[in-house]
Amino acid sequence: MVLADDATVRALNRTYRGQDRTTDVLAFPQDGQAGLLGDVVISLEQAARQARRARHALSREVALLAIHGTLHLLGYEDETDVGRRTMGDLQRRLLRLWAREAGR
């Protein structure tokens, strides 16, 4: 996992997805790398804005984005209604586990 600034994430989003805007998380699968799923890049600045809006800790938002990116690496999608519901359910369950383990 990489924590980056908005400018870095925007440049990656433009280069690899053709979208010239910042985003909160990007997932880059590793092709052919035994034992590696890939890389998750999180905009720490965007995560901080989202945490403030949601009124929860930055650590919770980063955990949520890390979970979201990892689910993408595992093949989950959020482009369809079914995919969004499936990913949302998994994210909520995994975030609850994280919070329990982190003592939050």
Side-chain angles (χ1 to χ4, degrees):
M1 181 174 64
V2 175
L3 299 176
D5 61 9
D6 279 346
T8 300
V9 173
R10 182 177 184 161
L12 290 169
N13 202 22
R14 180 177 51 247
T15 299
Y16 293 100
R17 298 182 66 228
Q19 297 184 15
D20 190 16
R21 63 180 179 83
T22 195
T23 189
D24 51 5
V25 61
L26 293 168
F28 297 99
Q30 292 289 333
D31 294 325
Q33 295 278 339
L36 295 177
L37 285 177
D39 297 310
V40 174
V41 181
I42 295 171
S43 167
L44 198 52
E45 292 171 308
Q46 182 67 20
R49 288 189 293 273
Q50 290 174 186
R52 279 192 299 276
R53 279 195 302 269
R55 297 180 184 204
H56 57 234
L58 177 58
S59 60
R60 181 181 177 87
E61 187 67 23
V62 169
L64 175 63
L65 295 173
I67 289 166
H68 185 88
T70 302
L71 288 173
H72 277 305
L73 293 177
L74 291 169
Y76 291 91
E77 59 84 19
D78 56 1
E79 298 294 319
T80 65
D81 289 340
V82 171
R84 268 189 298 283
R85 279 193 302 274
T86 300
M87 272 189 84
D89 290 344
L90 282 168
Q91 284 177 182
R92 281 186 290 281
R93 283 192 276 163
L94 291 168
L95 193 60
R96 278 194 300 272
L97 287 171
W98 170 82
R100 190 175 341 152
E101 291 298 316
R104 294 182 165 86

